[in-house]
Amino acid sequence: MDSRIEYAETHRNKCAACFRQFNKLEHLVEHMRISYHSVHEPTCGICGKHCRSFESLREHLIGPLPKQECRDIFANRGCRFCLKVLDSPYSRRIHQERCQLSANTGLIGRFANLGIRDNLTIGKGPQVVALACKMVGGGSDGSLDLCARVCIIDERENILFHSYVKPPIPVTNYRYETTGLRPEYLRDAMTMRQVQRKIQDFLCNGEPVWKIRPKSGRARILVGHGLDHDLESLQVEYRSEMIRDTEKYPPLMKTSKLSNSLKYEIQTGIQDPYDDCVATMRLYMRMRSQAHKIEEYPLASDPQNKNNFASWRQRELERMSPDQMLAISRSDYYCWCLDSI
């Protein structure tokens, strides 16, 4: 009898999201208070376990110590690219043919990127764009990053802007092995000030930067990887609410490289900013297209959710089941699927 009671108590103290078990109910409540489990977390399509990142989900399914049942089903019906579980092996094969994302943008994309392109317009155009830069070296030892090439694309991977940039200080290392840049490419290039003004105006799209509204405004969503560094090198200021940085997005942050989570090949040799733009845009589009449950107030930071796990509700929370606690738990990050609402 005692063993059955102990089992029931342990089961009751099991987190409904990550399946972690606690000896005491108050420990489960504290776990839910600080874990921010939500419908937006990467979730196993077999057992329903919530993972903090896609890398953790991949470990759960096919890592060194996966859950046996999940591993067996995933091996038969799971997509190794997006980690989705399909209805049958045949459905999996058809899905993977569409799901695989190639890093090679092809000769057309590369030749299109060879020349200068300036299709930046104010007041119209795409609401989501991706940006990438390539840096040369400045300073006495060539270690100071200076933007020498910049590319912007739209959601359809069309080039909106591509230009070489003349840095404001002398270049001491062109880093040719990775940039492919030579002095003659920058001799008649646009100045940093010209590029900065063009990009700033294009992103704000007619709105003052301090008045930009995350929703229903005209300013554009900016996608990229390591955008803090790129924007700093371009001397561009932009609202963090409008930035979608794959380097900082929690579901992707445990990956050591952007390419690891979606099977992109890491660029070797001369690196093209157009390829970087395409990689981050495709990753953003995949994250945005996730079908998550719609919640009226999806963020833990929303005022309506500030008391969900307040300490003064401790006794009330302890009377809830794990599923009920999960139902009121909210995400501590902005899920990109909300951009499609």
Side-chain angles (χ1 to χ4, degrees):
M1 178 66 70
D2 290 343
S3 62
R4 289 199 299 269
I5 294 175
E6 184 178 350
Y7 172 81
E9 283 299 313
T10 303
H11 185 70
R12 172 173 167 75
N13 299 342
K14 179 180 178 181
C15 175
C18 66
F19 302 161
R20 185 177 173 185
Q21 294 184 343
F22 299 88
N23 292 328
K24 296 183 178 181
L25 191 53
E26 55 263 36
H27 296 165
L28 172 59
V29 173
E30 181 61 23
H31 166 75
M32 294 300 297
R33 182 176 287 128
I34 64 176
S35 63
Y36 300 102
H37 288 309
S38 76
V39 298
H40 299 287
E41 291 178 304
T43 304
C44 176
I46 301 163
C47 69
K49 179 180 179 179
H50 290 224
C51 298
R52 188 61 178 174
S53 69
F54 283 100
E55 192 71 9
S56 296
L57 178 57
R58 191 180 296 277
E59 289 288 315
H60 168 75
L61 292 167
I62 57 177
L65 296 172
K67 184 177 179 181
Q68 187 69 36
E69 178 186 1
C70 295
R71 184 191 69 175
D72 294 343
I73 295 176
F74 186 82
N76 191 41
R77 297 191 277 119
C79 173
R80 66 180 185 274
F81 301 113
C82 69
L83 306 182
K84 183 178 181 180
V85 178
L86 287 301
D87 296 330
S88 67
Y90 174 76
S91 299
R92 190 268 300 268
R93 182 171 63 84
I94 299 301
H95 170 86
Q96 281 194 162
E97 290 176 357
R98 299 194 307 265
C99 191
Q100 183 174 9
L101 302 180
S102 171
N104 183 9
T105 54
L107 291 176
I108 294 178
R110 290 185 179 278
F111 281 130
N113 201 10
L114 289 177
I116 304 302
R117 190 76 59 87
D118 186 358
N119 293 325
L120 301 185
T121 55
I122 308 300
K124 59 180 181 179
Q127 281 304 111
V128 179
V129 297
L131 176 148
C133 299
K134 285 303 164 192
M135 309 290 177
V136 292
S140 59
D141 60 355
S143 63
L144 180 64
D145 285 343
L146 304 172
C147 178
R149 189 180 177 191
V150 60
C151 182
I152 299 176
I153 68 169
D154 63 15
E155 294 179 59
R156 295 174 179 264
E157 301 175 11
N158 298 312
I159 298 173
L160 300 175
F161 183 75
H162 170 248
S163 178
Y164 297 111
V165 183
K166 183 181 292 184
I169 64 175
V171 177
T172 55
N173 184 356
Y174 283 87
R175 304 174 183 174
Y176 178 79
E177 296 78 8
T178 57
T179 67
L181 295 177
R182 300 181 184 277
E184 55 267 27
Y185 293 173
L186 308 185
R187 189 170 298 130
D188 298 317
M190 295 177 67
T191 66
M192 173 64 71
R193 180 63 177 170
Q194 290 172 317
V195 172
Q196 182 265 343
R197 176 51 57 191
K198 275 183 172 290
I199 294 177
Q200 184 88 62
D201 291 346
F202 175 71
L203 292 177
C204 294
N205 200 22
E207 290 187 323
V209 67
W210 61 88
K211 289 186 178 181
I212 287 176
R213 294 166 293 169
K215 293 286 186 180
S216 71
R218 296 194 302 271
R220 308 178 204 272
I221 292 174
L222 178 62
V223 177
H225 187 74
L227 281 171
D228 284 349
H229 186 227
D230 287 348
L231 293 178
E232 182 181 5
S233 69
L234 290 167
Q235 300 174 16
V236 170
E237 295 182 5
Y238 205 47
R239 292 285 295 272
S240 60
E241 298 92 334
M242 303 303 294
I243 291 175
R244 307 291 181 261
D245 194 332
T246 58
E247 185 179 55
K248 294 183 175 182
Y249 191 50
L252 303 171
M253 281 179 61
K254 286 190 177 181
T255 57
S256 58
K257 290 286 186 179
L258 165 65
S259 53
N260 287 356
S261 62
L262 284 191
K263 300 300 182 181
Y264 284 121
E265 294 178 2
I266 300 171
Q267 290 193 58
T268 57
I270 294 177
Q271 300 170 3
D272 193 327
Y274 176 73
D275 287 344
D276 291 343
C277 285
V278 168
T280 54
M281 180 61 82
R282 289 180 181 179
L283 182 50
Y284 167 76
M285 297 295 285
R286 173 168 285 177
M287 296 295 102
R288 191 180 73 174
S289 67
Q290 294 179 102
H292 294 151
K293 177 184 175 182
I294 297 177
E295 298 166 323
E296 189 173 3
Y297 303 105
L299 299 176
S301 58
D302 290 333
Q304 295 80 1
N305 297 321
K306 68 177 182 179
N307 291 324
N308 284 10
F309 288 94
S311 56
W312 55 264
R313 294 186 64 188
Q314 183 70 22
R315 290 189 178 181
E316 178 187 353
L317 291 167
E318 290 180 7
R319 290 194 295 269
M320 291 184 179
S321 69
D323 286 328
Q324 288 173 324
M325 280 190 275
L326 178 58
I328 66 171
S329 185
R330 293 294 183 268
S331 174
D332 61 342
Y333 64 89
Y334 180 89
C335 181
W336 292 348
C337 77
L338 299 174
D339 286 344
S340 61
I341 298 177

